[in-house]
Amino acid sequence: QIRDSLTGLFNYQGLIQQLDGYYGQNIGIIVLDIKDLSKINELYGRIEGNNAINTIAHLLNTVVENGISCRLGNGEFVCVIPNQEKSADKILSIKKKICTKLKNLKKFQYELDIYTGYDFGCIGNKKHFEKLLNSAIGYKNSKKIRENKIQSTHIFSDEERQEISLVREILDDNLFKYHFQPIVNARTGEIYAYEALMRADIIPSLSPLKILKYAEYLERLYDVERSTFFNILNKLENENLLPEGKKIFINSIPGNLFQGEDAINIEQKIKQYAGTLVVELTEQAEISDEELARIKDVYESIGIETAVDDYGTGYSNVSNLLRYMPNYVKIDRLLLSKIQESPQKQHFVREIIEFAHDNNIKALAEGVETSEELQLVIHLGVD
């Protein structure tokens, strides 16, 4: 199947098949992502969300005449356009035309808008194309993150100011503790690995999400990353916590690369756990393709596997999974909660699992809490 069943556009497999005539040529790539599609589904219903997706697909069919349009998944699309001009002028013109036509639409009870990214260059093979595509996706995602940061900026209340003060104390004094959550093999029921979960070692406590939120505001995410790796690796080294043959998953914020002595010391410690350590990369992190490639090269060279966390919500999409190409994809618990009652969730999760397995990626189901959820995710094929 090379067509998307909802829109009729090519899916990613279909797009790759259509590229044969483009190799050796200059092309432009435009990536589009519907703003707040999850909110549209939540407020107006999934039928309206599908209407928004089909509207964008129809727009692309109208505007992109000499090229390939593809739906990557959910609300994300990509257009591949011949570009003999060897500049961004033609690509920017088409992107502007798409945005102008979208603004002139008056058929919705809400504002239908998109995030966009683009790049252009000559492609000699599939690998060249994927690099160009990832660059366009990275550009789109960085704009998305910046805009969301601006929208979330506000004046802090007294309670929030107290929480910021607590986070400063936690970061200054390394007041973290860790719990080790088992990851269970869906075939055998045996414990396959453990995920190290960060908690604040302070009273009153703060949730990890609040710690990350205020650490970002304080521009101290690097301190969270540094504490996480050093604390967990030191515990493994000094307390002999890890049962033999089990893996350990550590959360990482890849936009905060270790510097100087930290980088040297962390790499030396990590090498001790080659084949055992799995680093979870958060997609929300603003990171260039060059930085991501360097991180993956370092991990691969010393035998460290990677995972994408919380997949299926937020910034998650097929293109980002292609960009990270991890060893594991962790499907977000919001997609799994009461999944037995939702055919839509079942369909989406099945597609994620099939895509993962087709690309030699293990699929993990997070936050399964009932026997009904357990039976269904096993039936859908999670690892």
Side-chain angles (χ1 to χ4, degrees), residues 1-3 8-23 25 27 67-70 80-82 123 126 129:
Q1 183 182 357
I2 62 171
R3 293 279 181 179
L9 297 180
F10 289 111
N11 56 23
Y12 186 75
Q13 181 180 347
L15 172 62
I16 295 300
Q17 286 189 16
Q18 299 300 310
L19 285 178
D20 287 344
Y22 288 76
Y23 293 138
Q25 297 186 28
I27 66 164
I68 311 168
S69 295
C70 159
V80 178
I81 302 158
I123 57 169
K126 180 184 174 184
F129 169 74

Side-chain angles (χ1 to χ4, degrees), residues 26-275:
N26 289 292
I27 66 164
I29 293 178
I30 302 174
V31 177
L32 305 93
D33 196 350
I34 298 176
K35 289 186 180 181
D36 298 324
L37 179 60
S38 59
K39 287 185 180 178
I40 295 172
N41 286 329
E42 181 181 342
L43 295 175
Y44 303 99
R46 188 162 294 275
I47 292 177
E48 189 60 33
N50 288 344
N51 187 22
I53 292 170
N54 277 316
T55 298
I56 300 299
H58 177 72
L59 198 59
L60 297 183
N61 278 329
T62 303
V63 175
V64 183
E65 298 176 355
N66 299 314
I68 311 168
S69 295
C70 159
R71 183 187 174 207
L72 288 179
N74 210 22
E76 192 169 47
F77 302 81
V78 61
C79 304
V80 178
I81 302 158
N83 185 38
Q84 300 306 321
E85 299 174 8
K86 299 183 182 180
S87 72
D89 293 346
K90 179 179 179 181
I91 310 305
L92 291 173
S93 174
I94 293 174
K95 184 168 76 73
K96 183 178 179 181
K97 192 173 181 180
I98 293 170
C99 293
T100 299
K101 283 184 172 293
L102 184 59
K103 285 182 180 179
N104 290 334
L105 292 176
K106 305 296 183 183
K107 57 187 283 189
F108 298 100
Q109 51 187 322
Y110 52 86
E111 181 182 3
L112 179 59
D113 203 355
I114 52 176
Y115 301 100
T116 61
Y118 72 93
D119 206 347
F120 63 97
C122 182
I123 57 169
N125 52 43
K126 180 184 174 184
K127 189 174 182 180
H128 292 161
F129 169 74
E130 288 176 341
K131 184 176 181 181
L132 205 64
L133 174 61
N134 289 337
S135 176
I137 291 166
Y139 178 47
K140 181 264 295 180
N141 283 348
S142 66
K143 289 167 61 179
K144 187 173 183 177
I145 291 168
R146 285 197 299 271
E147 184 170 323
N148 286 341
K149 280 182 180 177
I150 293 170
Q151 291 175 353
S152 65
T153 301
H154 62 282
I155 299 172
F156 292 110
S157 65
D158 290 341
E159 180 181 354
E160 288 171 324
R161 281 193 288 269
Q162 290 175 0
E163 290 174 340
I164 291 172
S165 179
L166 277 177
V167 169
R168 282 201 184 96
E169 183 181 349
I170 291 167
L171 297 174
D172 290 343
D173 299 333
N174 191 17
L175 299 176
F176 293 106
K177 60 183 178 181
Y178 301 87
H179 298 285
F180 292 85
Q181 171 78 24
I183 297 173
V184 180
N185 188 311
R187 307 288 182 273
T188 67
E190 296 176 348
I191 292 177
Y192 175 80
Y194 293 88
E195 179 182 359
L197 303 177
M198 176 191 77
R199 297 294 182 265
D201 192 11
I202 192 171
I203 299 175
S205 186
L206 284 178
S207 72
L209 289 178
K210 283 192 175 182
I211 293 172
L212 291 172
K213 170 187 172 182
Y214 294 128
E216 183 175 17
Y217 171 73
L218 296 169
E219 297 185 351
R220 294 188 62 179
L221 285 175
Y222 181 90
D223 294 328
V224 176
E225 183 83 347
R226 184 183 185 281
S227 294
T228 297
F229 272 78
F230 275 111
N231 290 349
I232 294 171
L233 291 171
N234 286 337
K235 286 179 77 69
L236 294 177
E237 190 175 358
N238 300 327
E239 301 178 25
N240 196 26
L241 292 174
L242 193 62
E244 187 176 350
K246 308 302 180 188
K247 296 179 183 288
I248 185 79
F249 283 62
I250 299 180
N251 286 281
S252 172
I253 311 168
N256 294 269
L257 303 178
F258 291 116
Q259 307 292 329
E261 288 296 315
D262 285 345
I264 296 171
N265 293 334
I266 284 289
E267 187 168 335
Q268 288 175 346
K269 286 180 176 292
I270 283 179
K271 282 181 179 178
Q272 302 175 48
Y273 299 98

Side-chain angles (χ1 to χ4, degrees), residues 328-345:
Y328 303 87
V329 56
K330 301 184 72 178
I331 304 169
D332 191 88
R333 66 181 304 274
L334 291 178
L335 288 175
L336 303 169
S337 178
K338 298 183 179 179
I339 187 172
Q340 71 277 6
E341 300 175 7
S342 172
Q344 292 90 348
K345 286 184 178 181

